[in-house]
Amino acid sequence: MMRLELVKRPQRSALFSALSPFLAFALTIIAGAIMFALLGVNPLTAFRIYFIEPVSQVWQLHELAIKAAPLILIAVGLSVCYKANIWNIGAEGQFILGGIVGSIIPVLFPQFESPLVLPLMLLLGMVGGAAYAAIPALLKTRFGTNEILTSLMLVYVAQLFLDWLVRGPWRDPQGHGFPQTIQFNDSAVLPELMPDAGRANWGFVFALVAAVLVWILMSRMLKGFEVRVLGSSPRAGRFAGFGLNRMVFFAFLLSGALAGLAGISEVSGAIGQLQPVISPGYGFTAIIVAFLGRLNPLGIVAAGLVLALTYLGGEAVQSALGISDKVARVFQGMLLFFVLGCDTLIHYRIRLIGLALTKPESAAKLEAAPKLKEAR
Amino acid sequence: MSANQDGTNLLEVRGLTKIFGTLTACDHIDLDIARGEIHALLGENGAGKSTLVKMLFGSLEPNSGEIFWNGQAVRISSPGAAKKLGIGMVFQHFSLFEALTAAENIALSLDDGSPISSIAAKARALSYSYGLPLDPESLVGDLSVGERQRIEIIRCLLQTPQLIILDEPTSVLTPQEADKLFETLERLRSEGKSILYISHRLEEVKRICDRATVLRHGKVVGHCNPREETASSLARMMVGNEVQAVVRAPVEGIDKAQPLLEIRNLTRKPATPFSIPLKGISLNVRAGEVIGIAGVAGNGQGEFFESVSGEVLQQDAASVRIRGKDAGGLTITGRRLLGAAFVPEERLGHGAAPRMKLSENLLLSRHATDGKAFVGAGGMVKSAAIYSAAQRIIVAMDVRKSAPDPEAAALSGGNLQKFIVGRELDRRPSVMVVNQPTWGVDAGAAAHIRQALIELSRSGSAVLVISQDLDELFEISDAIAVMHNGELSKPLPIAEATFEKVGLLMGGAEPGHAEHTLETA
């Protein structure tokens, strides 16, 4: 019998830390090639359709921007959480609540048309996302609940709440019974950037601005320093006089507001109304984006574009080769798996430990042994 | 065991070398340990003692060199292999589970599947035969540090080692507990077992060790018989030159000086089942004096430090007063703004964030007190200002480092401690509270830090030093109080304090009772 043990490396390699996302991408390509081959498709053809064709024309780049914008916006907020060692997994729910709260004006007051409508919607979207993110923050600081569980569970609450809204009170009375709200009026629609070239809207600009602002926050400001200290050494943070509870709220409210902004931008820009489903899992995919971008807002912009491509590629192989577009999920999962794997192996090395077969009772002690090691 | 009792040494080490990157931690070390001797391994921090011992115990692999056990060349690839050969080790920092009993802790490390009851019986028998009484059924969390060390020693002895490595074993003991340990060690020696004894306390090395090997900068600088040396000649071998003595001028009229730090009936319930409650602590520290707090580790010093620093707030705002103002309800930032500065015991992870640069670690404790200098409009950090301030501290405290602004974790313990103390001194605080100022710091750096603390007090600040190192406290304090089990004795003026009196208080003699003996003595 063998067992595996992770042994911390005395020094982590700066070179490989920087290379890690690229290694992960390369490994994903290799694993993807095997997958396509097993599906009976020539991997080269599949990769051309998956990764190259979806971005070979200008209008397609606009589609890429539409998909990348929410990923970047959400991931930038999540990066602040994760740097602070706070695990907001519920961005999907905050995205949906941002979409719902931001839609209050165009759905309930459709006759209100003014240049003020759009800014108000965006603001309400951010408030909605932040308020929804405040729930796990409150539960964590007040009762010590695990924010991973509460924020994740609230995603399903948000999804069902949206589903109920568009089938019930907010359903378009002239919509022939379809579960959707009325189409937003023109002043409630996020304008396109270059209507002649493609559909990309201001959401992408919001994403870039958010990335730059959060980058400044994290690298140049005292607040960002506070996030990094509390995330890397909470006891030193307490010694510095930084409050952990305040940080939990700060991180959740910031990431919730950005997810909410992404939600209302998506509803107002790309969709134009509320539907039962307004996100193909952006809130979860953004977790991959955040890690692939090394939790660095500028890296996240690049990672967001890569992950957006996996969505477009998934649609492309479905139409061209008849492969399920779930293949996009497979690619996203592999990317996260490999990036986390690379990171782990940069910090730890694997040691194989053989166990003497003559001592079966020592197997029972296996559970205790690693704990003892940690205590040391 | 006695199969190989000819002239060969139990352990011989030839040319053992360990290289970390560009640093040669151990450089061609030669070492012989005979049967039945207590062999001292001396050296400053960073001299390579720990690296050498880790190679002997199999937790590090040497780059080159040979180890002979009973005359046979051996390769020690893991602690398990070391144990099999007959090498046991008692670490400076214990690895015990507080929620388990002593016997359960021993069983975990033996890993041979024998029932707990038989282990407990063996441990009990062994502990009495070596004069280390221990109840195997007691919970580790309830035991004193000295008793915990007994578990470690018995755990080691149960594996019937021929060589026992002890790493700074007396650093956590009262003088009286240390005496008991020495008796045990002499007993082991008389049974023909060998002991490798690592310490920086020269007096005890002179007292119990037969031979000594001195390391400096990773090299053996000499073998000697410590009984024929003086403490200062040993120190000279370790450091390479004379350590500057700390100078402490007596202070006049301290009774009339203003108390800058007042602690009044400070009481705190235990935060966890294994932490110590604080019971009615009162103490004044006046401008111009250094008060030392002695005590065995784990008697409430950590809890006391947290309460005074404001990392934990008090119900009663008047229980901590800084410069005449109630501070019990203020956070650590509020207390710093009143002029107090704090240096915690743990350097990495508490006093400094390990993965952050020194300049960022400067900001850690001074972002509020030096807000104008270091933080600009809109919360932007002035990195040029903190960088130059960090360089100023590095020069003032002679911090040695490998890069202009390295991560805290890249510094040796002593150099990081110099930076952390220097970071606070640089503010000229009027109240300075330091927990273990020179723990694990080499002699030269320790003298530097101690002198700086004395000078701070003489310039009109109040300095409170919590330390387990009695030599240090006698060197720098104007009065010494003792913390035991969450209670603090009255401070003994340094002129009246002796090792014996302080040692008795550390061992738990009633504070009132000790006062009494003091008066009658």
Side-chain angles (χ1 to χ4, degrees), chain B residues 306-361:
Chain B
E306 282 182 335
S307 304
V308 174
S309 71
E311 287 172 278
V312 173
L313 304 185
Q314 286 76 53
Q315 301 274 320
D316 175 9
S319 61
V320 175
R321 289 167 58 82
I322 294 168
R323 287 171 71 205
K325 295 205 174 63
D326 288 352
L330 296 180
T331 62
I332 188 165
T333 302
R335 295 181 199 199
R336 284 191 179 119
L337 289 171
L338 284 178
F342 309 96
V343 176
E345 174 179 5
E346 284 284 328
R347 289 182 276 264
L348 287 176
H350 191 177
R355 289 280 173 213
M356 291 199 166
K357 294 175 193 163
L358 288 186
S359 58
E360 293 177 299
N361 272 300

Short mmCIF file of all heavy atoms in Angstrom, two decimals, chain B residues 306-361:
data_model
loop_
_atom_site.label_atom_id
_atom_site.label_comp_id
_atom_site.label_asym_id
_atom_site.label_seq_id
_atom_site.Cartn_x
_atom_site.Cartn_y
_atom_site.Cartn_z
N GLU B 306 -1.86 40.63 25.15
CA GLU B 306 -3.01 40.96 24.28
C GLU B 306 -3.93 41.99 24.94
O GLU B 306 -4.48 42.86 24.27
CB GLU B 306 -3.85 39.71 24.02
CG GLU B 306 -3.28 38.77 23.01
CD GLU B 306 -4.22 37.59 22.81
OE1 GLU B 306 -5.01 37.26 23.72
OE2 GLU B 306 -4.16 37.00 21.73
N SER B 307 -4.09 41.86 26.27
CA SER B 307 -4.99 42.78 26.96
C SER B 307 -4.39 44.17 27.04
O SER B 307 -5.10 45.16 26.89
CB SER B 307 -5.27 42.27 28.38
OG SER B 307 -5.77 40.96 28.32
N VAL B 308 -3.08 44.24 27.29
CA VAL B 308 -2.45 45.55 27.41
C VAL B 308 -2.36 46.22 26.04
O VAL B 308 -2.55 47.42 25.91
CB VAL B 308 -1.05 45.41 28.06
CG1 VAL B 308 -0.33 46.75 28.07
CG2 VAL B 308 -1.18 44.90 29.47
N SER B 309 -2.10 45.41 25.00
CA SER B 309 -1.91 46.01 23.68
C SER B 309 -3.23 46.45 23.07
O SER B 309 -3.23 47.29 22.18
CB SER B 309 -1.22 45.01 22.75
OG SER B 309 -2.11 43.97 22.42
N GLY B 310 -4.34 45.88 23.53
CA GLY B 310 -5.61 46.25 22.93
C GLY B 310 -6.03 45.34 21.80
O GLY B 310 -7.02 45.59 21.14
N GLU B 311 -5.28 44.27 21.58
CA GLU B 311 -5.76 43.27 20.63
C GLU B 311 -7.01 42.61 21.20
O GLU B 311 -7.85 42.10 20.47
CB GLU B 311 -4.67 42.22 20.37
CG GLU B 311 -3.55 42.77 19.52
CD GLU B 311 -2.40 41.80 19.43
OE1 GLU B 311 -1.59 41.78 20.38
OE2 GLU B 311 -2.31 41.09 18.45
N VAL B 312 -7.11 42.60 22.53
CA VAL B 312 -8.33 42.19 23.21
C VAL B 312 -8.74 43.36 24.09
O VAL B 312 -7.92 43.92 24.81
CB VAL B 312 -8.08 40.93 24.07
CG1 VAL B 312 -9.30 40.61 24.89
CG2 VAL B 312 -7.71 39.77 23.17
N LEU B 313 -10.02 43.74 24.01
CA LEU B 313 -10.48 44.90 24.77
C LEU B 313 -10.93 44.48 26.16
O LEU B 313 -11.29 43.33 26.40
CB LEU B 313 -11.65 45.57 24.04
CG LEU B 313 -11.36 46.00 22.60
CD1 LEU B 313 -12.54 46.76 22.02
CD2 LEU B 313 -10.11 46.85 22.53
N GLN B 314 -10.93 45.45 27.08
CA GLN B 314 -11.38 45.18 28.44
C GLN B 314 -12.78 45.75 28.66
O GLN B 314 -13.15 46.74 28.06
CB GLN B 314 -10.41 45.82 29.45
CG GLN B 314 -9.10 45.08 29.59
CD GLN B 314 -8.19 45.35 28.42
OE1 GLN B 314 -7.92 46.48 28.07
NE2 GLN B 314 -7.74 44.30 27.76
N GLN B 315 -13.51 45.09 29.57
CA GLN B 315 -14.82 45.62 29.97
C GLN B 315 -14.63 46.94 30.71
O GLN B 315 -15.34 47.90 30.47
CB GLN B 315 -15.50 44.63 30.92
CG GLN B 315 -15.74 43.25 30.34
CD GLN B 315 -17.02 43.18 29.57
OE1 GLN B 315 -18.02 43.75 29.98
NE2 GLN B 315 -17.00 42.51 28.44
N ASP B 316 -13.66 46.93 31.63
CA ASP B 316 -13.45 48.08 32.48
C ASP B 316 -12.39 48.98 31.84
O ASP B 316 -11.22 48.63 31.80
CB ASP B 316 -12.98 47.56 33.86
CG ASP B 316 -12.61 48.71 34.78
OD1 ASP B 316 -12.88 49.87 34.41
OD2 ASP B 316 -12.04 48.43 35.85
N ALA B 317 -12.85 50.14 31.37
CA ALA B 317 -11.94 51.01 30.63
C ALA B 317 -10.78 51.48 31.47
O ALA B 317 -9.71 51.78 30.96
CB ALA B 317 -12.70 52.21 30.08
N ALA B 318 -10.96 51.52 32.79
CA ALA B 318 -9.90 52.04 33.66
C ALA B 318 -8.88 50.96 34.01
O ALA B 318 -7.91 51.25 34.71
CB ALA B 318 -10.50 52.62 34.93
N SER B 319 -9.07 49.73 33.55
CA SER B 319 -8.13 48.68 33.94
C SER B 319 -6.81 48.82 33.21
O SER B 319 -5.80 48.28 33.66
CB SER B 319 -8.74 47.30 33.72
OG SER B 319 -9.03 47.11 32.36
N VAL B 320 -6.78 49.51 32.09
CA VAL B 320 -5.51 49.85 31.44
C VAL B 320 -5.53 51.35 31.18
O VAL B 320 -6.45 51.85 30.54
CB VAL B 320 -5.33 49.08 30.10
CG1 VAL B 320 -4.06 49.55 29.41
CG2 VAL B 320 -5.28 47.59 30.33
N ARG B 321 -4.55 52.06 31.73
CA ARG B 321 -4.48 53.51 31.51
C ARG B 321 -3.13 53.85 30.90
O ARG B 321 -2.09 53.36 31.34
CB ARG B 321 -4.66 54.27 32.82
CG ARG B 321 -6.09 54.20 33.36
CD ARG B 321 -6.17 54.69 34.79
NE ARG B 321 -5.70 56.07 34.95
CZ ARG B 321 -6.44 57.14 34.70
NH1 ARG B 321 -7.68 57.02 34.28
NH2 ARG B 321 -5.94 58.34 34.87
N ILE B 322 -3.17 54.62 29.83
CA ILE B 322 -1.94 55.01 29.16
C ILE B 322 -1.83 56.53 29.22
O ILE B 322 -2.75 57.24 28.82
CB ILE B 322 -1.94 54.52 27.69
CG1 ILE B 322 -1.90 53.00 27.67
CG2 ILE B 322 -0.75 55.10 26.93
CD1 ILE B 322 -2.18 52.39 26.32
N ARG B 323 -0.73 57.00 29.77
CA ARG B 323 -0.49 58.45 29.95
C ARG B 323 -1.70 59.13 30.59
O ARG B 323 -2.15 60.18 30.13
CB ARG B 323 -0.15 59.11 28.62
CG ARG B 323 1.26 58.75 28.16
CD ARG B 323 1.52 59.21 26.76
NE ARG B 323 1.65 60.64 26.66
CZ ARG B 323 1.40 61.32 25.54
NH1 ARG B 323 1.00 60.68 24.46
NH2 ARG B 323 1.55 62.61 25.50
N GLY B 324 -2.22 58.49 31.62
CA GLY B 324 -3.29 59.10 32.41
C GLY B 324 -4.67 59.01 31.80
O GLY B 324 -5.63 59.56 32.33
N LYS B 325 -4.80 58.33 30.67
CA LYS B 325 -6.12 58.22 30.05
C LYS B 325 -6.59 56.76 30.08
O LYS B 325 -5.80 55.85 29.85
CB LYS B 325 -6.06 58.69 28.60
CG LYS B 325 -5.73 60.16 28.44
CD LYS B 325 -6.26 60.68 27.12
CE LYS B 325 -6.07 62.18 27.01
NZ LYS B 325 -4.63 62.55 27.03
N ASP B 326 -7.87 56.57 30.34
CA ASP B 326 -8.43 55.22 30.31
C ASP B 326 -8.32 54.65 28.91
O ASP B 326 -8.75 55.28 27.94
CB ASP B 326 -9.92 55.24 30.71
CG ASP B 326 -10.08 55.53 32.19
OD1 ASP B 326 -9.05 55.56 32.89
OD2 ASP B 326 -11.23 55.73 32.63
N ALA B 327 -7.71 53.47 28.80
CA ALA B 327 -7.49 52.91 27.46
C ALA B 327 -8.10 51.53 27.32
O ALA B 327 -8.00 50.91 26.27
CB ALA B 327 -6.00 52.86 27.15
N GLY B 328 -8.75 51.03 28.40
CA GLY B 328 -9.25 49.66 28.36
C GLY B 328 -10.23 49.39 27.23
O GLY B 328 -10.35 48.27 26.76
N GLY B 329 -10.94 50.44 26.81
CA GLY B 329 -11.93 50.24 25.74
C GLY B 329 -11.40 50.60 24.37
O GLY B 329 -12.13 50.52 23.39
N LEU B 330 -10.12 51.00 24.33
CA LEU B 330 -9.56 51.40 23.03
C LEU B 330 -8.94 50.21 22.30
O LEU B 330 -8.39 49.31 22.93
CB LEU B 330 -8.48 52.47 23.24
CG LEU B 330 -8.94 53.81 23.83
CD1 LEU B 330 -7.75 54.75 23.96
CD2 LEU B 330 -10.00 54.43 22.95
N THR B 331 -9.00 50.25 20.99
CA THR B 331 -8.34 49.21 20.19
C THR B 331 -6.84 49.47 20.21
O THR B 331 -6.37 50.49 20.72
CB THR B 331 -8.79 49.28 18.73
OG1 THR B 331 -8.40 50.55 18.22
CG2 THR B 331 -10.29 49.12 18.62
N ILE B 332 -6.10 48.56 19.61
CA ILE B 332 -4.65 48.71 19.58
C ILE B 332 -4.27 50.01 18.87
O ILE B 332 -3.32 50.70 19.26
CB ILE B 332 -3.97 47.47 18.94
CG1 ILE B 332 -2.45 47.55 19.08
CG2 ILE B 332 -4.37 47.28 17.49
CD1 ILE B 332 -1.75 46.25 18.81
N THR B 333 -5.05 50.38 17.86
CA THR B 333 -4.77 51.64 17.17
C THR B 333 -4.96 52.82 18.11
O THR B 333 -4.12 53.73 18.17
CB THR B 333 -5.68 51.77 15.94
OG1 THR B 333 -5.46 50.64 15.09
CG2 THR B 333 -5.40 53.03 15.18
N GLY B 334 -6.05 52.81 18.87
CA GLY B 334 -6.31 53.89 19.82
C GLY B 334 -5.21 54.00 20.86
O GLY B 334 -4.80 55.10 21.24
N ARG B 335 -4.72 52.84 21.31
CA ARG B 335 -3.66 52.87 22.33
C ARG B 335 -2.35 53.36 21.73
O ARG B 335 -1.58 54.06 22.38
CB ARG B 335 -3.50 51.48 22.94
CG ARG B 335 -4.76 51.08 23.70
CD ARG B 335 -4.66 49.72 24.34
NE ARG B 335 -6.03 49.27 24.63
CZ ARG B 335 -6.32 48.31 25.49
NH1 ARG B 335 -5.37 47.69 26.15
NH2 ARG B 335 -7.58 47.95 25.68
N ARG B 336 -2.12 53.01 20.47
CA ARG B 336 -0.91 53.52 19.83
C ARG B 336 -0.99 55.04 19.70
O ARG B 336 -0.01 55.73 19.89
CB ARG B 336 -0.75 52.92 18.43
CG ARG B 336 -0.27 51.48 18.44
CD ARG B 336 0.11 51.05 17.03
NE ARG B 336 0.60 49.68 17.07
CZ ARG B 336 0.03 48.67 16.42
NH1 ARG B 336 -1.02 48.88 15.67
NH2 ARG B 336 0.52 47.46 16.52
N LEU B 337 -2.19 55.54 19.39
CA LEU B 337 -2.33 56.98 19.23
C LEU B 337 -2.12 57.71 20.55
O LEU B 337 -1.78 58.90 20.56
CB LEU B 337 -3.70 57.31 18.63
CG LEU B 337 -3.85 56.91 17.15
CD1 LEU B 337 -5.29 57.06 16.68
CD2 LEU B 337 -2.92 57.73 16.27
N LEU B 338 -2.29 57.01 21.68
CA LEU B 338 -1.98 57.62 22.97
C LEU B 338 -0.47 57.61 23.25
O LEU B 338 -0.04 58.13 24.27
CB LEU B 338 -2.70 56.88 24.10
CG LEU B 338 -4.19 57.14 24.28
CD1 LEU B 338 -4.75 56.28 25.40
CD2 LEU B 338 -4.44 58.61 24.56
N GLY B 339 0.30 56.98 22.39
CA GLY B 339 1.75 57.01 22.57
C GLY B 339 2.36 55.68 22.96
O GLY B 339 3.53 55.62 23.30
N ALA B 340 1.57 54.61 22.91
CA ALA B 340 2.11 53.30 23.29
C ALA B 340 2.60 52.56 22.05
O ALA B 340 2.11 52.79 20.94
CB ALA B 340 1.05 52.48 24.00
N ALA B 341 3.56 51.67 22.27
CA ALA B 341 4.07 50.82 21.18
C ALA B 341 4.21 49.41 21.72
O ALA B 341 4.45 49.21 22.91
CB ALA B 341 5.42 51.34 20.69
N PHE B 342 4.03 48.42 20.83
CA PHE B 342 4.00 47.04 21.27
C PHE B 342 4.86 46.15 20.37
O PHE B 342 4.88 46.33 19.16
CB PHE B 342 2.55 46.52 21.25
CG PHE B 342 1.59 47.41 21.98
CD1 PHE B 342 0.84 48.36 21.28
CD2 PHE B 342 1.49 47.36 23.35
CE1 PHE B 342 -0.01 49.21 21.95
CE2 PHE B 342 0.64 48.22 24.04
CZ PHE B 342 -0.12 49.14 23.33
N VAL B 343 5.54 45.19 21.01
CA VAL B 343 6.29 44.19 20.25
C VAL B 343 5.85 42.82 20.76
O VAL B 343 6.11 42.48 21.91
CB VAL B 343 7.81 44.36 20.44
CG1 VAL B 343 8.55 43.24 19.72
CG2 VAL B 343 8.27 45.71 19.92
N PRO B 344 5.14 42.04 19.93
CA PRO B 344 4.65 40.76 20.40
C PRO B 344 5.73 39.69 20.38
O PRO B 344 6.82 39.89 19.85
CB PRO B 344 3.53 40.42 19.43
CG PRO B 344 3.90 41.12 18.17
CD PRO B 344 4.72 42.32 18.56
N GLU B 345 5.39 38.54 20.96
CA GLU B 345 6.37 37.47 21.08
C GLU B 345 6.70 36.84 19.73
O GLU B 345 7.85 36.66 19.38
CB GLU B 345 5.82 36.41 22.04
CG GLU B 345 6.70 35.18 22.14
CD GLU B 345 6.13 34.16 23.11
OE1 GLU B 345 5.03 34.36 23.62
OE2 GLU B 345 6.82 33.14 23.35
N GLU B 346 5.64 36.50 18.99
CA GLU B 346 5.84 35.84 17.70
C GLU B 346 6.25 36.88 16.68
O GLU B 346 5.55 37.87 16.50
CB GLU B 346 4.54 35.19 17.23
CG GLU B 346 4.18 33.93 17.93
CD GLU B 346 5.01 32.75 17.46
OE1 GLU B 346 5.40 32.73 16.28
OE2 GLU B 346 5.28 31.89 18.29
N ARG B 347 7.35 36.65 16.03
CA ARG B 347 7.78 37.62 15.02
C ARG B 347 7.01 37.42 13.73
O ARG B 347 6.38 38.32 13.20
CB ARG B 347 9.27 37.45 14.72
CG ARG B 347 10.13 37.91 15.84
CD ARG B 347 11.57 37.76 15.46
NE ARG B 347 12.03 36.41 15.69
CZ ARG B 347 12.66 36.03 16.79
NH1 ARG B 347 12.91 36.90 17.73
NH2 ARG B 347 13.04 34.80 16.95
N LEU B 348 7.05 36.18 13.22
CA LEU B 348 6.42 35.91 11.93
C LEU B 348 4.95 35.60 12.15
O LEU B 348 4.60 34.71 12.92
CB LEU B 348 7.09 34.72 11.24
CG LEU B 348 8.48 35.03 10.69
CD1 LEU B 348 9.12 33.78 10.12
CD2 LEU B 348 8.41 36.11 9.62
N GLY B 349 4.11 36.35 11.49
CA GLY B 349 2.68 36.08 11.59
C GLY B 349 1.98 36.89 12.66
O GLY B 349 0.77 36.90 12.71
N HIS B 350 2.73 37.54 13.54
CA HIS B 350 2.07 38.39 14.53
C HIS B 350 2.70 39.79 14.50
O HIS B 350 2.05 40.76 14.16
CB HIS B 350 2.19 37.75 15.92
CG HIS B 350 1.31 38.42 16.96
ND1 HIS B 350 1.20 37.99 18.24
CD2 HIS B 350 0.51 39.49 16.88
CE1 HIS B 350 0.36 38.77 18.91
NE2 HIS B 350 -0.05 39.68 18.10
N GLY B 351 3.98 39.86 14.79
CA GLY B 351 4.65 41.15 14.73
C GLY B 351 4.94 41.59 13.30
O GLY B 351 5.10 42.76 13.02
N ALA B 352 5.00 40.62 12.40
CA ALA B 352 5.27 40.92 11.00
C ALA B 352 4.52 39.94 10.13
O ALA B 352 4.30 38.80 10.52
CB ALA B 352 6.77 40.82 10.72
N ALA B 353 4.11 40.40 8.95
CA ALA B 353 3.48 39.52 7.97
C ALA B 353 4.62 38.91 7.14
O ALA B 353 5.37 39.63 6.50
CB ALA B 353 2.53 40.30 7.08
N PRO B 354 4.76 37.58 7.18
CA PRO B 354 5.97 36.95 6.63
C PRO B 354 6.21 37.25 5.15
O PRO B 354 7.35 37.48 4.75
CB PRO B 354 5.71 35.45 6.81
CG PRO B 354 4.62 35.34 7.81
CD PRO B 354 3.84 36.61 7.77
N ARG B 355 5.15 37.27 4.35
CA ARG B 355 5.32 37.39 2.90
C ARG B 355 5.32 38.83 2.44
O ARG B 355 5.20 39.12 1.26
CB ARG B 355 4.24 36.61 2.18
CG ARG B 355 4.40 35.11 2.29
CD ARG B 355 5.43 34.62 1.29
NE ARG B 355 5.72 33.22 1.48
CZ ARG B 355 6.91 32.69 1.26
NH1 ARG B 355 7.91 33.45 0.85
NH2 ARG B 355 7.11 31.41 1.43
N MET B 356 5.42 39.76 3.37
CA MET B 356 5.43 41.17 2.97
C MET B 356 6.81 41.76 3.20
O MET B 356 7.56 41.33 4.06
CB MET B 356 4.39 41.93 3.77
CG MET B 356 2.99 41.52 3.37
SD MET B 356 1.82 42.75 3.86
CE MET B 356 0.41 42.22 2.92
N LYS B 357 7.08 42.80 2.41
CA LYS B 357 8.38 43.43 2.50
C LYS B 357 8.53 44.16 3.82
O LYS B 357 7.55 44.49 4.48
CB LYS B 357 8.53 44.45 1.36
CG LYS B 357 8.56 43.84 -0.01
CD LYS B 357 8.58 44.97 -1.01
CE LYS B 357 8.29 44.48 -2.40
NZ LYS B 357 7.92 45.61 -3.25
N LEU B 358 9.77 44.47 4.17
CA LEU B 358 10.01 45.19 5.41
C LEU B 358 9.31 46.54 5.41
O LEU B 358 8.74 46.95 6.41
CB LEU B 358 11.52 45.40 5.62
CG LEU B 358 12.31 44.15 5.99
CD1 LEU B 358 13.75 44.54 6.30
CD2 LEU B 358 11.70 43.44 7.18
N SER B 359 9.32 47.23 4.27
CA SER B 359 8.67 48.54 4.25
C SER B 359 7.17 48.40 4.49
O SER B 359 6.57 49.19 5.20
CB SER B 359 8.94 49.24 2.92
OG SER B 359 8.47 48.45 1.85
N GLU B 360 6.57 47.33 3.95
CA GLU B 360 5.14 47.12 4.21
C GLU B 360 4.91 46.75 5.67
O GLU B 360 3.90 47.12 6.27
CB GLU B 360 4.60 46.01 3.30
CG GLU B 360 4.60 46.41 1.85
CD GLU B 360 4.12 45.27 0.95
OE1 GLU B 360 4.76 44.20 0.95
OE2 GLU B 360 3.12 45.46 0.28
N ASN B 361 5.88 46.02 6.24
CA ASN B 361 5.74 45.67 7.64
C ASN B 361 5.92 46.87 8.55
O ASN B 361 5.47 46.86 9.69
CB ASN B 361 6.73 44.56 8.00
CG ASN B 361 6.14 43.19 7.75
OD1 ASN B 361 5.12 42.86 8.34
ND2 ASN B 361 6.74 42.43 6.87
#
